[in-house]
Amino acid sequence: MQVDESAAVGTGAPSRAVRDFEAGLVRRKVMVYVCQAVFGIVFLAFWQWASGRLIDPFFVSSPSAVFGKLYTWLMNGELYRHLSITLYATAIGFIIGSTIGFAMGLLFGKFAFLAEVLDPYITALYSIPKLALAPLFIIWFGIGIESKIAVSASIVFFVVFLNTFSGVREVNPIYIHATQIMGASQWGVMRTVIIPSATAWVITGLKVSVPYALVGTVIGEFMSSNRGIGFIIAQATGLFDTNSVFAGIIILAVVGAIINSILKATEGWLLRWRA
Amino acid sequence: MAGAAISIDGVDKRYIGRGREVVALDHVSLEIEEGEFVAFVGPSGCGKSTLLNMIAGIIPMTSGSIMHEGRKVTAINRHVGYLTQADSVLPWRTVEQNVGLPLEYRGMPAAQRQKRVAEMLALVDLKGFDKAFPKELSGGMRKRVALAQMLAYGPDTLLMDEPFGALDAQLKLVMQQQLLRIWQEQKKTIVFVTHDLAEAIALASRVIVFSGRPGKIKYVEEIKIPYPRDVFKVRFLREFETAYDNLWRELSPEIAKGEDL
Ligand SMILES: Nc1ncnc2c1ncn2[C@@H]1O[C@H](COP(=O)(O)OP(=O)(O)O)[C@@H](O)[C@H]1O
Ligand SMILES: [Mg+2]
């Protein structure tokens, strides 16, 4: 019984069984990474082989041409110049949208009457594809970075707002009462019960909205801009330069994957208490 | 009224839901003296938890009034400790963070808090689990975390709703003995709900029997066994047997009635 209990909470040195179990997990993980790498290499090799043999490179370019392009951009500073502006707009939009969304979600979650009154309007606003607002934002904020920030902020806002709101409504009232009896102030309840309880929802909202924030910025750049990854892709499309189009798409894919894995790790850590 | 820690006066509770009214408590009156250890027994659904919730100020009563330490209970009652029947341990906090929670609300410095938490965990036999999350504990262990949390900030009145129901027989006896010791040393008033008659008799100075729905006080038995008591040995005393017979005589028809519903 003593052994069981200490193992359950990870105190003391890990036993042999624990070490074997963990080694098994590591082996599996390594196998997954190896297979992922093999899959990627096979895919690139097929693309390289097919380009020019099966399909005209004018349409599908080829890995060597695309990576050549990427290398050139990396070296001449173009990559940094365009990627930094796209990431900057996405990040600022994300921060503005999630901060306002989180605050409003908490507020509406606390004032159920207000939430009920405004419910149909919120649903209506939510139903608008946010990208349809992009032209409007360009009129309001001009073709500079502000309009891109506005697009991504508006996307992130709604997802975070609605998730925070649901999270607050979902809080088990037992926790609220129990902590109040123990002496928690309003802020104490907010800090120790409502916010942590809503975290699972908020994180889900953030995870869903980050890729959209990136999409929002890029779409904004498609429409009108003179810098950014979206601008590169739009400009290259106009010139039938498929190498550059693919290079731009790959940059977006890699950036999206990196952001997602950061969020996933954050989520795993924040929600480590969950069963 | 001097000396009464809790005085319950003509309390009714009717729940209204889905177009019907459920009478949970029907005109309950009861005085609980300061320093008393009172046990509530009764068939399930007779309103024992409802009554504790009203003393704690979580739910309003339909009519009547409850005074606690000379104050009328009208909102959340911050002068009691309440060990609820449902799990109230916060799943996103570790055991030590949960136990330290009431101290955190009182602004106790971290070092002092840590010391107090360690003492409480030793008391409920959960040493070594301070960094565990509730999901890693059994139901009985979580109950003990909630108990440690309640004892950590030392409220004078403790409301306990079936606190030891999920514990195995031996641990239950150990926890009962600890509770009796704390009650005597710290002169607390305890209201203790249980479905275990033997537990009620071993601990309480007075056992209140509730009738089945609607809940009413049906019978009160004074337990004459002197304190300090040894919970391992009380059950062999004659007074224990007499009390058990009396209580069972009153309780068993109620339980049968409950089954009909
Ligand atoms: N929130 C509620 N809404 C409607 N009925 C309730 C509610 N809570 C309890 N009841 C009813 O009140 C009665 C007493 O419940 P409870 O106090 O939990 O009983 P006990 O703790 O004695 O088992 C039960 O019949 C139960 O169905
Ligand atoms: Mg109950």
Side-chain angles (χ1 to χ4, degrees), chain A residues 139-256:
Chain A
I139 297 174
W140 288 351
F141 300 111
I143 65 158
I145 191 166
E146 294 82 0
S147 55
K148 284 87 198 169
I149 292 175
V151 176
S152 60
S154 67
I155 295 174
V156 173
F157 167 79
F158 270 98
V159 184
V160 173
F161 168 71
L162 290 174
N163 276 279
T164 307
F165 178 58
S166 312
V168 173
R169 306 290 291 281
E170 285 284 305
V171 175
N172 188 340
I174 287 181
Y175 298 144
I176 297 177
H177 293 144
T179 47
Q180 283 177 329
I181 290 174
M182 275 181 246
S185 59
Q186 286 234 13
W187 165 241
V189 173
M190 185 60 93
R191 180 178 67 84
T192 56
V193 179
I194 296 178
I195 292 177
S197 172
T199 306
W201 286 80
V202 175
I203 280 280
T204 309
L206 293 180
K207 239 176 47 174
V208 175
S209 65
V210 166
Y212 284 131
L214 188 61
V215 169
T217 308
V218 171
I219 300 267
E221 289 170 351
F222 278 174
M223 290 183 183
S224 69
S225 66
N226 48 24
R227 256 178 84 181
I229 301 295
F231 166 73
I232 290 191
I233 295 176
Q235 193 193 39
T237 305
L239 300 171
F240 297 107
D241 173 7
T242 23
N243 293 344
S244 297
V245 173
F246 272 99
I249 291 172
I250 284 178
I251 293 170
L252 290 180
V254 170
V255 167

Side-chain angles (χ1 to χ4, degrees), chain B residues 48-49 85 161-162:
Chain B
K48 305 179 298 292
S49 300
Q85 187 170 11
D161 201 345
E162 307 196 9

Side-chain angles (χ1 to χ4, degrees), chain B residues 160-176:
Chain B
M160 306 176 77
D161 201 345
E162 307 196 9
F164 304 146
L167 303 186
D168 63 68
Q170 288 80 5
L171 188 56
K172 192 168 174 170
L173 288 174
V174 173
M175 297 310 299
Q176 288 170 352

Side-chain angles (χ1 to χ4, degrees), chain B:
Chain B
M1 227 188 241
I6 303 171
S7 93
I8 300 163
D9 186 18
V11 166
D12 285 319
K13 178 66 192 180
R14 291 192 289 278
Y15 286 107
I16 298 180
R18 279 178 288 151
R20 13 181 242 126
E21 236 183 342
V22 177
V23 183
L25 284 174
D26 184 20
H27 224 74
V28 172
S29 295
L30 180 68
E31 297 267 308
I32 296 171
E33 302 301 314
E34 221 163 89
E36 218 184 341
F37 196 134
V38 173
F40 289 176
V41 296
S44 76
C46 71
K48 305 179 298 292
S49 300
T50 300
L51 188 53
L52 291 198
N53 280 339
M54 290 191 297
I55 298 172
I58 293 173
I59 57 171
M61 49 212 102
T62 310
S63 59
S65 72
I66 295 178
M67 303 278 288
H68 175 238
E69 291 173 352
R71 280 176 297 258
K72 200 169 147 97
V73 178
T74 51
I76 291 286
N77 184 352
R78 291 170 196 267
H79 304 274
V80 296
Y82 189 9
L83 195 63
T84 51
Q85 187 170 11
D87 216 343
S88 68
V89 172
L90 302 180
W92 45 86
R93 293 191 148 227
T94 61
V95 167
E96 64 180 355
Q97 289 171 334
N98 263 294
V99 175
L101 198 57
L103 309 176
E104 202 178 309
Y105 293 144
R106 283 165 179 70
M108 187 188 274
Q112 216 177 325
R113 207 160 69 207
Q114 204 173 10
K115 195 161 151 277
R116 180 97 182 128
V117 167
E119 281 168 24
M120 292 301 122
L121 287 179
L123 189 71
V124 297
D125 202 16
L126 279 176
K127 262 194 207 153
F129 287 90
D130 27 1
K131 300 279 189 293
F133 281 104
K135 68 166 179 190
E136 297 162 307
L137 308 180
S138 70
M141 288 159 92
R142 284 201 292 270
K143 270 275 142 72
R144 282 183 279 152
V145 173
L147 179 64
Q149 182 182 55
M150 181 170 86
L151 295 174
Y153 69 103
D156 289 331
T157 304
L158 309 183
L159 309 175
M160 306 176 77
D161 201 345
E162 307 196 9
F164 304 146
L167 303 186
D168 63 68
Q170 288 80 5
L171 188 56
K172 192 168 174 170
L173 288 174
V174 173
M175 297 310 299
Q176 288 170 352
Q177 195 67 59
Q178 293 272 34
L179 183 63
L180 273 184
R181 188 176 58 75
I182 291 164
W183 170 66
Q184 282 202 286
E185 281 176 9
Q186 304 180 12
K187 313 237 180 309
K188 294 187 183 302
T189 307
I190 298 184
V191 184
F192 190 99
V193 174
T194 176
H195 50 244
D196 178 351
L197 266 189
E199 180 173 58
I201 300 166
L203 298 178
S205 47
R206 202 150 52 116
V207 179
I208 318 284
V209 179
F210 282 77
S211 67
R213 255 180 305 177
K216 265 192 237 201
I217 294 180
K218 182 184 180 192
Y219 178 75
V220 178
E221 174 88 13
E222 302 275 344
I223 309 296
K224 299 277 164 40
I225 307 168
Y227 296 98
R229 295 177 186 173
D230 180 339
V231 294
F232 302 93
K233 294 194 182 133
V234 283
R235 44 209 79 206
F236 306 111
L237 300 176
R238 214 190 52 245
E239 293 96 321
F240 185 94
E241 226 171 288
T242 324
Y244 201 102
D245 287 342
N246 292 340
L247 287 166
W248 182 243
R249 193 185 59 235
E250 297 294 332
L251 187 58
S252 51
E254 298 305 322
I255 292 172
K257 221 166 67 186
E259 304 279 284
D260 299 340
L261 283 168

Side-chain angles (χ1 to χ4, degrees), chain A residues 49-133:
Chain A
W49 175 81
S51 169
R53 287 187 178 82
L54 298 182
I55 320 171
D56 187 342
F58 174 78
F59 293 112
V60 296
S61 182
S62 72
S64 55
V66 170
F67 285 104
K69 192 93 218 170
L70 284 175
Y71 184 74
T72 316
W73 285 348
L74 182 65
M75 285 304 149
N76 66 13
E78 287 286 287
L79 178 66
Y80 176 78
R81 201 168 84 85
H82 293 289
L83 183 57
S84 61
I85 198 87
T86 301
L87 285 184
Y88 181 72
T90 305
I92 299 291
F94 179 77
I95 290 168
I96 293 175
S98 55
T99 307
I100 300 177
F102 185 67
M104 296 262 292
L106 288 182
L107 197 74
F108 274 51
K110 267 202 82 104
F111 298 103
F113 186 78
L114 180 69
E116 215 168 305
V117 170
L118 294 180
D119 181 61
Y121 300 100
I122 292 167
T123 311
L125 274 178
Y126 182 62
S127 312
I128 303 171
K130 253 52 77 191
L131 294 179
L133 297 176

